[in-house]
Every structure is written in structure tokens, then in C-alpha cells.
Amino acid sequence: KAGVTQTPRYLIKTRGQQVTLSCSPISGHRSVSWYQQTPGQGLQFLFEYFSETQRNKGNFPGRFSGRQFSNSRSEMNVSTLELGDSALYLCASSLETGGRNEQFFGPGTRLTVL
Amino acid sequence: DAKTTQPPSMDCAEGRAANLPCNHSTISGNEYVYWYRQIHSQGPQYIIHGLKNNETNEMASLIITEDRKSSTLILPHATLRDTAVYYCIVRPGFYNQGGKLIFGQGTELSVKP
């Protein structure tokens, strides 16, 4: 079974631009979560989508948004990019939502904001 | 969400067992203990999880104390490829509490020849 895939793998943007990242979950998985990893803050939860609905949201500004499609694929969008948004963005999928279900991570998208 | 405490770093000789401790003294009855690891700049890799019983899979064993306030991840025969940051996480089990993982700083395990 194919794992979680994320596109693109690397991205360079400039301040003020916006960016859209894509995540395809493992086949059959209905929950997709997004995380941001930076050297200073570590791994931080952004949001979770399940059955096209946002189930949970981390402590990030409204510039960070996401959505999930009927085939469970998910996208996240960051508007008005800031230098501090440079990070590794990770997507994870699980069969269902809730703590009984292990999350499997993709390789991440490395975003650099200049 | 319950917090976890892990040593920042540990060393282990190749071929020996690596025992990684985690303290989660405020864990509540419905919270699971999860372990992930992250090899430099890759996505975290799921290792194992448990509620109150000890668990074993092809990668590792998870030993949870009877009072559930601490646990130990055991890699039975560590190899150089096990060098990574290991995260111990507790998660609510209920469906309506969502699926977020709260990562701490983890333990940086160095396996040495």
C-alpha cells in the first residue's frame, strides 16, 4: 500500500506571497492532520480534517487554512507569507479520527520564505 | 492533554537493547501512550502505542507501568539506523477529541558502533 504523499517536496517563496501544499493520504484513510516543524518551535499541530470537516485546530493565525476533499486528499494554504513561515510542513493520515488510530506521516514539504 | 518528560539524549551501543524512558504522571484513563521517531529531516515514523498493557511489534516493545505514570520503549537490538529523535506522546482516545499529536522535545538516541 502506498504511503502518504506530499507535493511539492520543496518550495521557495517570497514574503507576501501565498502557497498551497497538497497531501494524499494512505488509501482508505479518512483523517488528515497537518503539522509545522521549525528548529525553534519543534513539531506543532496545525489542524485535522476528517470527512471534509475540520475536527481540531492548533494555535496558528488565520493565514493558515486547509480543506479536505471527498476523496480525503487535503490541501493547506498559507497566505501573506512571513519569513517565520519557513518550515517543514508535514501531513499525516489515519484510518479514523481519535487516539486509537495511529497517524502515518508523509515526507513533508520544505518551504523556504525569502 | 497530558505532558510527557523524556531525557534529552541517550547513547546506546550497536547490538545492545536501547531502553528509552518516558514520564507521563498526569495521564488520564482514556489516554494512549504513543511512540514516534524522526530521522533527520524525514517525517516522523510510527513505532508503537498502548493503553495499559505491554505491547510488542516487529520494531519495538512498549512497557507501561501498572499506575500508567511512566513507560519504556525498548529497541531490542539497536542498529546504527535507529539513531533518531524519539518522541513519547499521550493522546486522548475518544473519537470526539480529535487526532492531534502534541510533540515534546523528545530523546535524541545515538547508536554507536
Side-chain angles (χ1 to χ4, degrees):
Chain A
K1 196 182 258 190
V4 178
T5 58
Q6 293 187 245
T7 56
R9 292 293 312 278
Y10 301 91
L11 205 49
I12 299 175
K13 293 285 188 179
T14 55
R15 278 183 301 173
Q17 287 187 309
Q18 75 163 18
V19 68
T20 299
L21 311 181
S22 181
C23 172
S24 293
I26 292 170
S27 177
H29 284 196
R30 298 199 293 156
S31 169
V32 174
S33 298
W34 288 90
Y35 296 82
Q36 181 198 63
Q37 186 171 28
T38 60
Q41 299 297 318
L43 267 157
Q44 294 185 286
F45 171 78
L46 279 157
F47 28 65
E48 181 203 12
Y49 286 87
F50 178 72
S51 293
E52 301 179 65
T53 302
Q54 188 179 88
R55 297 281 304 177
N56 222 330
K57 190 177 189 306
N59 189 25
F60 279 82
R63 300 185 297 107
F64 292 81
S65 62
R67 59 178 176 168
Q68 186 181 34
F69 302 96
S70 58
N71 61 357
S72 294
R73 192 177 68 85
S74 177
E75 289 181 347
M76 68 162 282
N77 184 276
V78 188
S79 62
T80 320
L81 284 166
E82 301 176 0
L83 295 179
D85 297 333
S86 293
L88 180 66
Y89 289 89
L90 292 154
C91 161
S93 78
S94 63
L95 203 57
E96 303 280 341
T97 187
R100 293 181 180 82
N101 301 278
E102 54 268 35
Q103 292 186 1
F104 297 94
F105 283 79
T109 293
R110 172 78 59 185
L111 172 65
T112 301
V113 182
L114 302 176
Chain B
D1 298 334
K3 293 184 178 176
T4 62
T5 304
Q6 299 177 254
S9 63
M10 291 181 64
D11 289 340
C12 178
E14 189 177 20
R16 303 298 294 268
N19 295 281
L20 292 92
C22 179
N23 182 286
H24 32 79
S25 57
T26 59
I27 194 170
S28 60
N30 70 327
E31 289 182 314
Y32 286 76
V33 179
Y34 272 78
W35 284 84
Y36 281 81
R37 71 181 183 184
Q38 187 175 28
I39 297 168
H40 183 63
S41 292
Q42 297 181 20
Q45 179 187 22
Y46 166 80
I47 302 173
I48 199 167
H49 74 285
L51 185 61
K52 52 185 175 181
N53 297 321
N54 297 338
E55 303 286 344
T56 296
N57 62 20
E58 64 278 3
M59 285 184 68
S61 295
L62 173 61
I63 308 297
I64 303 174
T65 58
E66 195 169 338
D67 63 6
R68 303 208 324 123
K69 294 186 177 184
S70 66
S71 61
T72 301
L73 178 74
I74 301 172
L75 307 178
H77 306 286
T79 71
L80 298 179
R81 287 182 293 180
D82 292 322
T83 292
V85 178
Y86 286 76
Y87 297 98
C88 169
I89 301 163
V90 292
R91 291 176 74 191
F94 294 145
Y95 176 91
N96 62 358
Q97 290 177 311
K100 66 181 178 181
L101 295 167
I102 306 296
F103 288 83
Q105 296 305 308
T107 295
E108 188 163 4
L109 175 69
S110 295
V111 180
K112 300 181 185 299

